[in-house]
């Protein structure tokens, strides 16, 4: 195959991928998120089993306050919406607007993490105090790791979506779509976590 | 036109090393990666096999005289871990999956070639790390199941390295699974329908679904376990208020499906090999597909049959016994399909078919003891005895490993362009089959009479039967020699195989041997009837 032919094919293929949003890369990502979700499912199952069969020993402290996690839930839900705005803006070829919405989303992520750390410092129990304390930190910590990773990725794509010569354009939306999907996933997990850990 | 892979990779591929050097490179070619998996897995098989021989030599006498007890524990932990995570899982999935699936779906490579290479290259370092742990401060001693509190109280460094290594191998397995699902469902050649795919694709689809759903749970569990070991948390530590049974539930939620991760691909491979060498279509294609998917669903809801002695409540015992017994139905369907495929066929007796037949015989036996073990009263009696050891070796060795050898004899001509020597192959089969049955059949008796597993010492009354078993194990070790000789002399100066030595219809045979870089010179062939043997083929 000559190099001219190859580059022709490359163009043709890129066009096909951008025309067809549901390409196999998104499919692969969804599969990965299902796997990731199963890790959380394992943690949740462990937590619920503990709750059912392992009573809190006398004198052990495990109390959670609702205000911070409620604010955090609202923050993440709004951030899902702002991310969606960023995607909309990009497909309308408005890169600077998209960049703005991405940075706002990242800010929400950072504030979420800030609140989370603040909560950690103000809880009346530590990691090794009792079974529920350990499970609480493991679950929220693992989720926080996901938020951290997501925020970093949002910052990276917000750089790549810049109007002058960024890699991500309305013809190459995949990186943005992938991170968006991941971000919605992380938000969804938080909602489940909030229900099970704080409200149940 | 065919769906081509990302052109970027295509260009990169031309820059990659040629010749044998490419097997040591970060190659993106699915055929190279497949062979990397196979050779790497086989090297670990030799290590795990050496450890198995050491175990059997120790058990030739009732006292622990060949090695100290703690070394025995390390050896048996390493043996189990290596054989499962570094030999069978990577080979039946990674090796044959990577080599064959792109051919079967008519693609030029896997969906994510780079992820594929990453998945392979996670394996050698984690395997070496695991083996190295033995020389650092002693390897893990808690068996491949790493049950707490044992895994928390035994020396820490070995156990932590074990966890790290299994986490990496699990990651590799998940990446592989994602890749297979995407390749099979999304990269099919236009015009190729799902129900026209060769059976191995269905087996790999089912396996990969299990991998994606269950492996992450193991990963999460092991992360919690490592917290218990290094951070002094008490998830699974009863002394700190933790719950060991939760570990067992989570562990077996992965590790029962892990059996199918090892054996479903083997089912698929046998379903490819039998029709070709019997010159008959695969019997009951549709029932085969449904029984694979049935096993996938059932396989996810039977895990607690490993825990009948863990204080499981009666309703749980009832549910898991019934669910487990149900698995015998789809598995039985497959067994009868294979027999019916061979029935009345023009069977050519060669090494590939011999190993496949060996698989069918061993697997039926292992399946029957499996159904027996699902029954609570029986299971409680033989739990943690050699009966269990015998049962699962009939499944994973008599099943999966026999199929691996069968597949090597079958696809070696495709990958190398040379035929393997049939005489040496038949010798290899004979010694393996006799050695295997001599080694493991007597262990049923040992277990029924109460010999516990995982202990270096035993009651002297069991010595004679143990020695028979050891003799069998040594035969199995010896059987590797004709195989290795065969592979080396055949690569050096074996008979030329030609493109299609078995007159097969599946797509991997419709190209040169070995195949060119992107699998076909021209367009990928559309194979609508992969098993159309014994009929006049109209093209
Ligand atoms: Cu099982």
């Amino acid at each position: 195959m000559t190099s001219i032919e190859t580059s022709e094919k490359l163009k043709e293929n890129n066009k096909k991928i951008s025309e067809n949003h549901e390409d196999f890369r998104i499919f692969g990502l969804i599969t990965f998120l299902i796997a990731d979700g199963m890790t959380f499912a394992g943690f949740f199952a462990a937590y619920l089993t503990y709750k059912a069969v392992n009573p809190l020993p006398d004198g052990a402290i495990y109390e959670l306050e609702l205000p911070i996690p409620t604010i955090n839930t609202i923050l993440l839900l709004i951030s899902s919406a702002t991310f969606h705005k960023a995607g909309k803006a990009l497909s309308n070829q408005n890169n600077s607007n998209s960049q703005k919405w991405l940075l706002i989303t990242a800010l929400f992520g950072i504030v979420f993490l800030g609140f989370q750390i603040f909560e950690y410092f103000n809880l009346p129990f530590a990691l090794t105090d009792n079974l529920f304390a350990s499970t609480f930190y493991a679950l929220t910590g693992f989720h926080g790791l996901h938020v951290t990773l997501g925020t970093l990725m949002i910052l990276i794509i917000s750089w790549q979506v810049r109007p002058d010569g960024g890699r991500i354009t309305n013809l190459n939306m995949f990186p943005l779509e992938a991170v968006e999907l991941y971000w919605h996933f992380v938000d969804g997990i938080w909602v489940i976590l909030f229900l099970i850990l704080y409200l149940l | 036109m065919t769906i081509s892979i990302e052109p970027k990779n295509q260009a990169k591929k031309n820059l990659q090393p040629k010749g044998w050097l490419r097997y040591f490179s970060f190659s993106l070619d699915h055929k190279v990666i497949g062979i990397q998996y196979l050779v790497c897995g086989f090297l670990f098989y030799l290590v795990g096999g050496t450890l198995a021989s050491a175990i059997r030599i120790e058990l030739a006498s009732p006292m622990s005289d060949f090695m100290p007890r703690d070394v025995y524990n390390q050896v048996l932990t390493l043996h189990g871990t290596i054989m499962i995570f570094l030999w069978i899982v990577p080979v039946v999935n990674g090796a044959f999956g990577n080599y064959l699936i792109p051919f079967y779906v008519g693609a030029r490579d896997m969906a994510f070639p780079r992820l594929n290479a990453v998945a392979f290259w996670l394996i050698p370092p984690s395997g070496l790390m695991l083996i190295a742990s033995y020389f650092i401060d002693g390897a893990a001693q808690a068996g491949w199941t790493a049950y707490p509190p044992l895994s928390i109280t035994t020396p820490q460094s070995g156990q932590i390295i074990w966890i790290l290594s299994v986490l990496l191998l699990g990651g590799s397995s998940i990446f592989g699974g994602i890749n297979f699902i995407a390749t099979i469902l999304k990269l099919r050649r236009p015009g190729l329908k799902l129900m026209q795919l060769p059976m191995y694709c269905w087996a790999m689809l089912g396996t990969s679904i299990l991998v994606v759903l269950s492996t992450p749970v193991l990963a999460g569990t092991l992360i919690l376990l490592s917290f218990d070991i290094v951070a002094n948390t008490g998830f699974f530590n009863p002394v700190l208020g933790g719950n060991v049974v939760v570990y067992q539930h989570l562990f077996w939620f992965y590790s029962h499906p892990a059996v199918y991760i090892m054996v479903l691909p083997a089912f698929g491979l046998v379903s490819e090999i039998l029709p070709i060498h019997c010159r008959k279509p695969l019997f009951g294609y549709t029932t085969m597909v449904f029984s694979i998917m049935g096993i996938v669903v059932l396989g996810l809801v039977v895990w607690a049959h490993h825990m009948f002695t863990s204080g499981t409540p009666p309703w749980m015992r009832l549910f898991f016994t019934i669910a487990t017994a149900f698995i015998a139905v789809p598995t039985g369907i497959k067994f009868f399909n294979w027999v019916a495929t061979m029935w009345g066929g023009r069977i050519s007796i060669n090494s590939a078919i011999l190993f496949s037949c060996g698989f069918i015989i061993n697997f039926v036996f292992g399946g029957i003891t499996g159904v027996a073990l699902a029954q609570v009263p029986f299971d409680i009696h033989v739990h943690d005895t050699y009966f269990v050891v015998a049962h699962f070796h009939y499944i994973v060795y008599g099943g999966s490993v026999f199929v691996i050898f069968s597949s090597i004899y079958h696809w070696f001509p495709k990958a190398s362009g040379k035929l393997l020597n049939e005489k040496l192959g038949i010798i290899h089969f004979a010694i393996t089959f006799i050695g295997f049955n001599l080694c493991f059949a007597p262990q049923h008796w040992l277990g029924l009479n109460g010999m516990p597993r995982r202990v270096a010492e035993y009651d002297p009354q069991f010595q004679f039967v143990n020695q028979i078993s050891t003799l069998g194990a040594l035969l199995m070790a010896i059987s590797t020699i004709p195989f290795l000789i065969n592979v080396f002399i055949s690569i050096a100066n074996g008979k030329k195989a030609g493109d299609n030595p078995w007159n097969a219809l599946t797509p991997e045979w419709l190209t040169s041997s070995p195949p060119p870089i992107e699998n076909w010179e021209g367009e990928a062939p559309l194979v609508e009837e992969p098993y159309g043997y014994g009929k006049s083929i109209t093209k």
Side-chain angles (χ1 to χ4, degrees):
Chain A
M1 192 185 292
T2 65
S3 60
I4 300 165
E5 259 177 280
T6 315
S7 68
E8 278 300 312
K9 255 197 163 168
L10 198 147
K11 267 187 213 149
E12 191 186 316
N13 213 349
N14 266 358
K15 219 172 87 194
K16 245 185 14 203
I17 286 171
S18 56
E19 275 168 7
N20 184 4
H21 280 231
E22 275 188 351
D23 64 310
F24 59 85
R25 291 179 297 180
I26 289 288
F27 181 81
L29 180 68
I30 293 172
T31 325
F32 173 79
L33 292 178
I34 291 173
D36 201 10
M38 285 306 291
T39 320
F40 279 105
F43 287 155
F44 288 137
Y47 174 79
L48 292 173
T49 316
Y50 290 146
K51 219 168 153 69
V53 299
N54 288 55
L56 197 64
D58 293 334
I61 300 168
Y62 177 69
E63 283 157 12
L64 294 170
E65 304 247 345
L66 277 180
I68 294 177
T70 311
I71 296 171
N72 265 351
T73 310
I74 296 166
L75 284 179
L76 278 192
L77 287 178
I78 297 173
S79 79
S80 256
T82 55
F83 206 140
H84 191 71
K85 284 254 180 208
K88 273 260 169 72
L90 184 64
S91 54
N92 291 334
Q93 302 193 37
N94 193 341
N95 286 42
S96 56
N97 227 349
S98 178
Q99 191 175 33
K100 188 186 81 195
W101 283 115
L102 281 174
L103 288 172
I104 291 172
T105 313
L107 191 70
F108 274 115
I110 293 166
V111 174
F112 172 93
L113 288 169
F115 272 124
Q116 180 86 73
I117 292 166
F118 178 79
E119 188 194 16
Y120 279 5
F121 277 108
N122 288 288
L123 283 171
F125 52 83
L127 173 68
T128 54
D129 278 7
N130 59 59
L131 193 54
F132 295 94
S134 306
T135 321
F136 171 82
Y137 282 109
L139 257 170
T140 52
F142 192 56
H143 179 266
L145 205 67
H146 279 76
V147 176
T148 314
L149 215 73
T151 309
L152 286 175
M153 288 195 292
I154 293 172
L155 288 174
I156 292 171
I157 58 167
S158 71
W159 167 246
Q160 288 178 331
V161 83
R162 67 187 184 279
D164 47 334
R167 200 169 70 88
I168 303 173
T169 60
N170 65 322
L171 293 176
N172 178 25
M173 298 244 326
F174 172 71
L176 185 131
E177 286 175 333
V179 178
E180 182 177 348
L181 197 59
Y182 172 85
W183 193 252
H184 292 326
F185 165 79
V186 173
D187 292 354
I189 292 286
W190 174 262
V191 173
I192 300 171
L193 190 151
F194 181 66
L195 289 175
I196 292 182
L197 224 52
Y198 290 91
L199 296 184
L200 201 70
Chain B
M1 66 165 258
T2 54
I3 297 176
S4 65
I5 51 149
E6 269 182 272
K8 246 186 296 173
N9 300 327
Q10 217 158 325
K12 274 214 181 116
K13 233 175 241 168
N14 297 332
L15 298 174
Q16 298 205 328
K18 299 261 152 58
W20 61 273
L21 254 181
R22 68 180 189 272
Y23 294 106
F24 294 89
S25 73
F26 190 78
S27 175
L28 303 180
D29 182 347
H30 71 100
K31 299 182 289 298
V32 174
I33 294 176
I35 289 172
Q36 285 175 327
Y37 266 108
L38 182 63
V39 174
C40 173
F42 194 81
L43 292 175
F44 283 117
Y45 169 63
L46 293 180
V47 176
T50 311
L51 295 168
S53 307
I55 291 173
R56 282 319 314 172
I57 291 169
E58 168 60 61
L59 293 174
S61 72
M63 303 311 296
S64 84
D65 35 22
F66 184 66
M67 51 187 145
R69 292 164 186 164
D70 65 322
V71 174
Y72 181 85
N73 293 345
Q74 296 173 30
V75 166
L76 87 89
T77 303
L78 283 180
H79 163 73
T81 313
I82 288 174
M83 289 305 204
I84 292 168
F85 292 111
L86 290 157
W87 158 238
I88 300 182
V89 170
V91 169
V92 291
N93 292 280
F96 295 110
N98 276 306
Y99 201 96
L100 297 173
I101 294 291
F103 281 110
Y104 285 172
V105 300
R108 305 216 173 259
D109 209 309
M110 297 286 286
F112 309 107
R114 236 173 276 117
L115 185 71
N116 206 11
V118 170
F120 168 72
W121 281 107
L122 282 173
I123 292 178
S126 32
L128 292 177
M129 199 164 81
L130 185 71
I131 295 169
S133 72
Y134 176 83
F135 300 100
I136 296 168
D137 215 13
Q141 294 189 32
W144 84 277
T145 49
Y147 267 19
L150 188 60
S151 49
I152 300 173
T153 50
T154 44
Q156 292 188 353
S157 71
Q159 197 62 48
I160 284 295
I161 296 178
W162 182 91
I163 289 177
L164 207 62
S165 161
V166 173
L167 282 177
L168 290 174
L169 294 168
S172 157
S173 185
I174 294 171
F175 292 156
I178 291 171
N179 222 336
F180 286 126
I181 295 179
T183 308
I184 295 168
L185 292 182
K186 291 283 164 182
L187 234 56
R188 275 196 324 284
R189 180 197 192 292
L192 185 62
K193 297 190 189 75
L194 273 175
M195 290 308 267
Q196 293 170 338
L197 288 175
M199 194 50 63
Y200 183 57
C201 294
W202 284 102
M204 281 309 296
L205 183 62
T207 309
S208 302
I209 292 172
L210 285 176
V211 166
V212 165
L213 292 180
S214 67
T215 316
V217 177
L218 175 76
T221 313
L222 292 182
I223 290 170
L224 294 185
L225 182 65
S226 65
F227 271 105
D228 275 6
I229 294 172
V230 297
N232 211 25
T233 55
F235 295 110
F236 309 126
N237 190 346
V239 178
L240 300 174
N243 189 332
V244 287
V245 179
V246 169
Y247 176 88
Q248 296 183 10
H249 276 296
L250 294 173
F251 177 82
W252 288 111
F253 181 79
Y254 165 74
S255 294
H256 180 81
V259 176
Y260 298 111
I261 294 169
M262 291 187 270
V263 98
L264 271 182
F267 291 171
L269 292 167
V270 167
S271 307
E272 300 306 331
I273 294 167
L274 285 179
I276 293 173
H277 296 282
C278 300
R279 313 310 301 166
K280 270 186 66 192
L282 181 68
F283 187 90
Y285 181 97
T286 319
T287 56
M288 209 73 146
V289 171
F290 280 101
S291 59
I292 287 175
M293 291 306 159
I295 289 179
V296 169
V297 174
L298 284 173
L300 284 168
V301 293
V302 296
W303 72 89
H305 61 213
H306 296 268
M307 302 164 52
F308 287 151
T309 58
S310 304
T312 12
W315 67 265
M316 222 187 246
R317 289 176 166 185
L318 190 69
F319 173 78
F320 284 102
T321 291
I322 294 173
T324 307
F326 260 114
I327 290 193
V329 176
T331 318
I333 290 174
K334 295 159 99 49
F335 166 76
F336 286 116
N337 280 347
W338 292 320
V339 175
T341 303
M342 298 179 71
W343 196 270
R346 282 194 289 118
I347 305 172
S348 30
I349 301 296
N350 55 35
S351 323
I353 200 105
L354 283 174
F355 269 104
S356 281
C357 292
F359 153 81
I360 294 178
I361 295 166
N362 297 332
F363 188 79
V364 164
F365 204 70
I368 290 171
T369 54
V371 177
L373 280 169
Q375 313 309 314
V376 180
F378 182 75
D379 180 79
I380 288 174
H381 180 65
V382 296
H383 188 87
D384 255 343
T385 70
Y386 261 85
F387 191 88
V388 178
V389 176
H391 157 70
F392 70 71
H393 279 91
Y394 265 84
I395 299 293
V396 291
Y397 196 103
S400 303
V401 179
F402 269 66
V403 173
I404 292 173
F405 283 125
S406 179
S407 306
I408 291 175
Y409 284 101
H410 182 74
W411 278 289
F412 186 89
K414 177 46 64 184
S416 71
K418 305 282 179 63
L419 287 169
L420 281 167
N421 182 308
E422 273 304 319
K423 262 200 196 113
L424 280 169
I426 290 172
I427 293 172
H428 173 211
F429 167 75
I431 308 178
T432 313
F433 190 75
I434 295 169
F436 168 76
N437 280 292
L438 208 57
C439 179
F440 291 107
Q443 292 182 3
H444 292 102
W445 183 88
L446 287 173
L448 286 172
N449 284 278
M451 178 173 162
R453 63 190 281 212
R454 288 182 168 165
V455 186
E457 291 142 342
Y458 55 85
D459 193 315
Q461 60 162 319
F462 297 132
Q463 184 169 13
F464 177 65
V465 181
N466 265 296
Q467 283 171 339
I468 296 177
S469 181
T470 300
L471 181 72
L474 295 180
L475 276 181
M476 286 162 79
I478 292 169
S479 76
T480 318
I481 297 169
F483 172 70
L484 283 175
I485 294 175
N486 197 349
V487 167
F488 284 118
I489 63 165
S490 301
I491 286 179
N493 47 18
K495 254 192 280 173
K496 278 241 170 354
D499 290 351
N500 193 353
W502 314 123
N503 288 318
L505 293 174
T506 37
E508 82 274 29
W509 299 102
L510 309 179
T511 182
S512 59
S513 305
I517 273 209
E518 300 236 295
N519 295 350
W520 292 279
E521 291 301 348
E523 203 178 307
L526 177 62
V527 178
E528 287 174 325
E529 255 190 289
Y531 303 114
Y533 302 105
K535 316 173 179 180
S536 56
I537 298 153
T538 47
K539 269 267 152 93

